[in-house]
Amino acid sequence: EREKGVTIKASAVRMQYQAKDGEQYELNLIDTPGHVDFNYEVSRALAACEGALLIVDATQGIEAQTLANLYLAIEADLVIIPVLNKIDLVSARPDEVAKEVGELIGTPADEIIRISAKEGTNVDQVLEAIVTNLPPPKGEKDAPLQALIFDSHYDAYKGVIAYIRVVNGLIRSNDTLRLMANGASLKPVEIGVFAPAMTPTQELLAGDVGYVASGLKTVSECRVGDTLTSATRLADKPLPGYRQAKPMVFAGIYPSDGDDYEDLKEALEKLQLNDASLIYAPEVSQALNYGFRCGFLGLFHMEIIQERL
């Protein structure tokens, strides 16, 4: 992430904000991957939100992947708050870039917030814009449970941890839940919120963003975009937009030493626990002996898997 300057793994956090109007607001923030290979994960995270911050680098202007994600946010009917970052740098072109952004989304250039995240300049204006411009979450606490899974990771002790946004209903720590895409039932090991570390709670209500430690053993059982519902009171239908990850790039991966084949197999198995979009199958090459044919979301995803291996 540091080398490429991009977010690879989404992260979520809940924060309390004391606004200038004297009210205390609870903000649930999700930082999504920026790269086009993770387009589907980004679309699910956007589906979990009421608004999006369009953060543009004042030295570089609007980049292609930012544009692609902006269109996803517009399709999801989100409120867009444009922000210019890195205004402290010598090479910053705030007026020029603000004009670009203004022409793109129709916001007057002088109304675009200009910040330096590094130095903390005007960051309070961003938080004020969130509480002023974004609508509060919709959703009915008494309706059947519908919770959108927008990300997940594997924990050796708690199984797959699903990052969720509760759209309708509520989840209690002792409820039995069901995944609507594959029909699997589960009893949560733990539920909670990111504050900023994983903090257990007794319940999650409509509008909340948090996590469910499912106890499931592979991420492929608990896929991004799936809908969690209650096993005792099923929702009529899942939330829209779910689809299975589809590999777009294929490559053969072989150990340089044939004796390392079992180590490579074990490493791929462990990687797949955390990344359901990686697929692989054994392959034999006359030149390279035994290895695996792997499918990836794109070239950048392939590079990430190589680094992790």
Side-chain angles (χ1 to χ4, degrees):
E1 287 189 331
R2 286 182 180 175
E3 182 187 320
K4 298 285 183 185
V6 297
T7 303
I8 291 169
K9 185 70 178 161
S11 47
V13 69
R14 170 184 287 193
M15 65 177 279
Q16 303 298 325
Y17 174 61
Q18 185 77 38
K20 289 177 181 170
D21 62 7
E23 294 284 342
Q24 177 107 346
Y25 291 89
E26 181 184 289
L27 306 182
N28 289 293
L29 309 172
I30 304 170
D31 180 23
T32 63
H35 199 276
V36 70
D37 281 9
F38 304 104
N39 174 284
Y40 173 62
E41 283 89 336
V42 174
S43 75
R44 296 305 83 215
L46 291 172
C49 297
E50 275 67 43
L53 294 172
L54 170 63
I55 302 178
V56 178
D57 188 322
T59 63
Q60 291 182 311
I62 298 163
E63 296 175 80
Q65 63 195 31
T66 309
L67 206 54
N69 290 339
L70 171 63
Y71 290 140
L72 284 177
I74 291 169
E75 274 175 39
D77 204 22
L78 301 189
V79 176
I80 311 291
I81 299 173
V83 178
L84 280 193
N85 190 21
K86 302 187 182 177
I87 58 167
D88 58 297
L89 297 182
V90 180
S91 55
R93 305 175 284 119
D95 294 336
E96 198 180 315
V97 176
K99 190 180 172 194
E100 262 180 52
V101 175
E103 287 171 356
L104 179 66
I105 62 171
T107 304
D110 57 347
E111 289 179 19
I112 295 170
I113 304 165
R114 303 179 184 199
I115 70 164
S116 165
K118 184 179 174 184
E119 296 184 352
T121 313
N122 296 337
V123 171
D124 58 327
Q125 290 183 23
V126 179
L127 296 169
E128 284 296 321
I130 290 171
V131 299
T132 307
N133 300 333
L134 263 56
K138 300 183 185 76
E140 297 173 30
K141 193 175 85 170
D142 301 324
L145 172 65
Q146 287 178 304
L148 174 68
I149 299 172
F150 63 85
D151 199 13
S152 62
H153 76 267
Y154 180 75
D155 181 277
Y157 300 102
K158 297 174 186 173
V160 176
I161 294 178
Y163 297 29
I164 60 161
R165 154 72 195 270
V166 185
V167 177
N168 287 307
L170 61 90
I171 298 177
R172 293 193 179 91
S173 54
N174 58 353
D175 286 352
T176 301
L177 306 175
R178 181 169 295 174
L179 291 158
M180 296 190 81
N182 67 4
S185 292
L186 59 100
K187 193 94 172 167
V189 177
E190 179 181 295
I191 67 170
V193 297
F194 303 99
M198 285 165 54
T199 309
T201 58
Q202 288 305 305
E203 61 180 21
L204 293 170
L205 306 173
D208 280 346
V209 172
Y211 67 88
V212 171
S214 67
L216 297 171
K217 293 303 171 198
T218 62
V219 171
S220 58
E221 292 178 275
C222 183
R223 289 184 178 272
V224 171
D226 202 348
T227 302
L228 265 179
T229 188
S230 167
T232 52
R233 191 184 173 204
L234 292 174
D236 297 337
K237 57 181 180 181
L239 296 164
Y242 170 73
R243 60 181 169 84
Q244 291 216 2
K246 188 178 176 186
M248 307 298 280
V249 170
F250 292 86
I253 294 183
Y254 293 84
S256 51
D257 184 339
D259 294 340
D260 294 333
Y261 175 80
E262 287 300 325
D263 290 343
L264 176 61
K265 183 181 176 184
E266 192 181 323
L268 284 167
E269 282 171 2
K270 284 182 179 174
L271 268 177
Q272 203 176 42
L273 286 177
N274 267 310
D275 188 350
S277 53
L278 165 68
I279 65 161
Y280 66 92
E283 183 178 64
V284 182
S285 157
Q286 288 181 331
L288 297 164
N289 215 341
Y290 293 95
F292 295 91
R293 181 169 175 75
C294 303
F296 309 96
L297 296 173
L299 289 170
F300 185 55
H301 185 222
M302 181 171 77
E303 197 178 326
I304 292 164
I305 295 297
Q306 284 177 298
E307 287 289 334
R308 286 178 175 161
L309 280 173

